[in-house]
Amino acid sequence: MISNGKLLTTKENKDNTRTFDWKIEQPHATYLTSIVIGEYTAIESNYAGIPVISYVYPDQLTEGRLTTSRLPEMVKFFSEKTGVKYPYAKYAQTMTRDFGGGMENISATTQTDNMIHDARTELDQTSDGLQSHELAHQWFGDYVTCRSWADIWLNESFATYFQAMWDEHSLGHDDFLYRDVRGNQDTYYRDWARGLLRKTLGEENWWRAINHYLTKYAHQPVSTEQFRIAIEEATGQSMDSFFDQWLYRMGHPVFRVTQTYDPAPKTLTLKIKQEQKPDSNYAYPQATLFQTPVEIEIGTASGARVERVIIEPKEEQSFTFQVDAEPQLVNFDYGDTLIKELHFDKPTNALIYQLNRDEDVMGRMWALGQLSERRKDKSTAAAEKELIAKSIATSLAQDKFWGMRFEDAAALQDATGDAVKTALLAATKDKNPRVRARAIQALGALKDPTLVTAYQDALDDESYGVIRAATEALGQTKSSSGYDSLMKLLDTSSWRDNLHVAGLNGLAALGDSRSLDIALKYSASGNSGQVQAAAITVLAAVGKNDPRVFPLISEALLKSVSPFNAALFGASGRALVELGDPRGVEVLEQANQKLISPRARPLLQQLVEQLKQKTQAAAPKTPGE
Ligand SMILES: [Zn+2]
């Protein structure tokens, strides 16, 4: 049994029960209390004398060790960054079944058992995000907690922010920008990760403010106002306008930037307009004009420099910089710190230069986005489209950051031409598995049977992600020679049946009627939910004319409703639509009656509609109608 604080005693009772006595010394909010009971093995480590423990299922010890190996380092890192040593008697995280994500119970986090990975899964993704987020809550949420649910953003934003800090520490600045800043850019709630306030305050002030906030309000509930006061006390800076602009009001700036270069005085002038308009549909107060620092990167043949300017709350203003030659690169908002919309029209050549040469990964990503839009625009000339595709192919081959190559591969998904195909094929051998998988996925969309061998080679990859992409791509070629390679995957056991699921997904895409028997075998109960779900998708693809298939899928759907099994539910519901049997409507409606989970209801209703439309379209018209 695992609970909060310290285990004082365990007593064996005469009636075959055991009594555990846990005690936590520190005051805390009641929603952070937890008790977990189960058969666990402890993976024990420590930070500065404090036990750091992960509780995993006894048969997952190897994988548990691997997945949680960085946890003690996280405890050390957060203790040092905040200047507040981890405050409780121990830190434990316990894996549990059917638990969504994680919950930062005080000194005893609870987490989904899905987060435990084998070594091959760790190649594609780690569980560091979840672990660091829940750990960060021990300071932000548990040590200081939100006064009311209106202040919950203080808990969540800081946990997400420190999760991002961990990424930066363990993976590097580019990964931090790509995963945490870019990944969160549409979520205001998480915009702490952008480092808005950190850039405004400066590095030293920022960390001093965090330490003061935690120390001052230790073991207390805090409000957003108290957070503002803590920053002001620590830094001596007034935070009124910052909080008013970014926290208490809605809206974000829309900047329109134009650049001109005057060769005689050698000056670059940037004209910046703020074009945001308050939206009359919202009753909440909205910011009208913004005041904020912003960094501008200026690159010439002799190198790049970054200038910091203050944008004033004006509709229009200009900044002038001395630059020896006409700049080849101007990057507004270096590092993409601001929540904003940016309109900055640049010629294609300037965007290509930025894509290949900008030191700021966010600048390269922005250029890629602009170029992709231009490539897909009907009004763009064919030669220009080709030039853009080639420049993206070059970036895919050469960029040093994996995330950029990943985005390049995605951007080439519907591009044509030999240069594109060559670059994507080369990227199927990229050193990063996510890039390899994305390149295969992009190629797969071509449905090109000459690529069968390339996909078959990829089935031997160490990464499950690459294998998944390869099986689907192989299936999409509709080449009968893919069948045997896909079937071979079903002979190999793997962590969480990854290879079985991948093989079945490939068979579903291939649609070869020979896979009916194997799909019947794996759709039977006794297989894992994921395998059953994948097999049912194969049945729908190849079993339309087999009388056994409809009742089998119907039964799977009704079973999946209670206890709710999301994978099986989605797969069997969609399979009924795919089969197009009019009897399916009644089965879907029956499932709706039994359904307890309200989250699944919209999908079910959507499936009913789809099937009705499909069967009505297919039904022969009755005479007289
Ligand atoms: Zn959280």
Side-chain angles (χ1 to χ4, degrees), residues 4 31-34 91 103-110 138 142:
N4 319 100
Y31 78 93
L32 299 169
T33 312
S34 68
Y91 182 63
M103 177 62 211
E104 64 271 23
N105 297 311
I106 195 160
S107 77
T109 285
T110 314
Q138 300 298 322
D142 297 6

Side-chain angles (χ1 to χ4, degrees), residues 307-341:
E307 300 267 0
R308 182 181 164 107
V309 299
I310 306 287
I311 305 240
E312 299 294 337
K314 291 178 187 167
E315 279 185 17
E316 192 175 320
Q317 62 204 299
S318 294
F319 297 95
T320 301
F321 309 92
Q322 281 294 316
V323 189
D324 283 346
E326 173 143 28
Q328 285 156 305
L329 168 66
V330 177
N331 175 358
F332 178 84
D333 191 15
Y334 180 79
D336 198 19
T337 304
L338 297 176
I339 309 161
K340 65 177 183 304
E341 259 173 69

Side-chain angles (χ1 to χ4, degrees), residues 497-551:
D497 295 322
N498 268 290
L499 296 181
H500 278 75
V501 172
L504 290 165
N505 285 347
L507 289 173
L510 190 67
D512 189 311
S513 59
R514 285 175 287 174
S515 35
L516 181 64
D517 284 344
I518 202 87
L520 285 168
K521 175 180 161 193
Y522 284 115
S523 59
S525 54
N527 292 292
S528 75
Q530 304 288 351
V531 167
Q532 265 186 292
I536 276 172
T537 310
V538 182
L539 281 183
V542 303
K544 277 196 179 74
N545 302 319
D546 190 288
R548 289 169 293 180
V549 168
F550 177 80

Side-chain angles (χ1 to χ4, degrees), residues 31-337:
Y31 78 93
L32 299 169
T33 312
S34 68
I35 294 168
V36 181
I37 299 161
E39 288 291 329
Y40 287 106
T41 298
I43 300 169
E44 290 187 62
S45 180
N46 83 89
Y47 161 63
I50 301 165
V52 176
I53 314 159
S54 296
Y55 291 97
V56 300
Y57 304 142
D59 63 347
Q60 296 186 350
L61 187 57
T62 307
E63 293 80 8
R65 279 214 176 96
L66 182 73
T67 310
T68 65
S69 61
R70 291 166 294 275
L71 185 64
E73 171 66 19
M74 286 178 200
V75 182
K76 175 175 188 277
F77 179 67
F78 290 168
S79 294
E80 289 173 358
K81 271 288 177 193
T82 58
V84 173
K85 191 181 166 189
Y86 177 81
Y88 308 109
K90 60 109 183 25
Y91 182 63
Q93 47 178 28
T94 308
M95 315 317 150
T96 55
R97 186 143 304 166
D98 293 328
F99 192 82
M103 177 62 211
E104 64 271 23
N105 297 311
I106 195 160
S107 77
T109 285
T110 314
Q111 279 166 181
T112 169
D113 58 5
N114 279 329
M115 62 158 289
I116 300 295
H117 295 159
D118 73 335
R120 294 179 72 174
T121 309
E122 282 275 301
L123 295 173
D124 296 327
Q125 60 174 138
T126 72
S127 294
D128 280 18
L130 179 64
Q131 292 178 81
S132 57
H133 181 101
E134 301 309 330
L135 174 64
H137 270 312
Q138 300 298 322
W139 284 264
F140 303 96
D142 297 6
Y143 188 67
V144 294
T145 198
C146 52
R147 182 167 292 279
S148 75
W149 294 122
D151 304 303
I152 185 77
W153 77 275
L154 283 172
N155 293 8
E156 288 312 324
S157 303
F158 269 114
T160 304
Y161 181 73
F162 273 79
Q163 174 185 344
M165 289 289 95
W166 171 256
D167 281 348
E168 187 175 32
H169 173 73
S170 65
L171 302 168
H173 191 62
D174 281 355
D175 266 86
F176 158 73
L177 288 172
Y178 177 60
R179 290 168 190 261
D180 299 299
V181 175
R182 188 174 180 276
N184 287 335
Q185 70 185 348
D186 297 324
T187 323
Y188 270 71
Y189 180 52
R190 292 180 163 183
D191 271 319
W192 236 229
R194 299 184 83 92
L196 255 175
L197 186 53
R198 183 180 172 185
K199 271 218 174 155
T200 301
L201 289 173
E203 198 71 8
E204 205 182 304
N205 273 334
W206 164 245
W207 291 111
R208 193 188 309 133
I210 297 234
N211 178 265
H212 180 62
Y213 166 68
L214 283 173
T215 317
K216 178 172 182 177
Y217 299 115
H219 310 304
Q220 289 174 46
V222 283
S223 67
T224 304
E225 268 306 282
Q226 287 170 310
F227 173 53
R228 180 180 66 77
I229 291 162
I231 302 174
E232 292 185 343
E233 286 172 349
T235 66
Q237 293 183 23
S238 165
M239 285 287 117
D240 272 337
S241 62
F242 183 94
F243 272 64
D244 192 51
Q245 176 174 292
W246 296 109
L247 291 172
Y248 291 139
R249 288 176 186 274
M250 294 184 64
H252 58 262
V254 178
F255 294 116
R256 183 170 297 277
V257 180
T258 43
Q259 73 179 81
T260 45
Y261 183 72
D262 192 341
K266 298 189 171 180
T267 52
L268 166 73
T269 302
L270 288 190
K271 192 166 82 180
I272 294 159
K273 283 187 180 177
Q274 295 196 33
E275 295 189 337
Q276 63 278 3
K277 296 272 178 293
D279 188 329
S280 55
N281 292 321
Y282 291 107
Y284 299 104
Q286 296 171 62
T288 46
L289 289 164
F290 285 78
Q291 175 169 29
T292 179
V294 64
E295 289 180 341
I296 292 161
E297 180 194 17
I298 302 165
T300 62
S302 58
R305 68 178 206 253
V306 177
E307 300 267 0
R308 182 181 164 107
V309 299
I310 306 287
I311 305 240
E312 299 294 337
K314 291 178 187 167
E315 279 185 17
E316 192 175 320
Q317 62 204 299
S318 294
F319 297 95
T320 301
F321 309 92
Q322 281 294 316
V323 189
D324 283 346
E326 173 143 28
Q328 285 156 305
L329 168 66
V330 177
N331 175 358
F332 178 84
D333 191 15
Y334 180 79
D336 198 19
T337 304

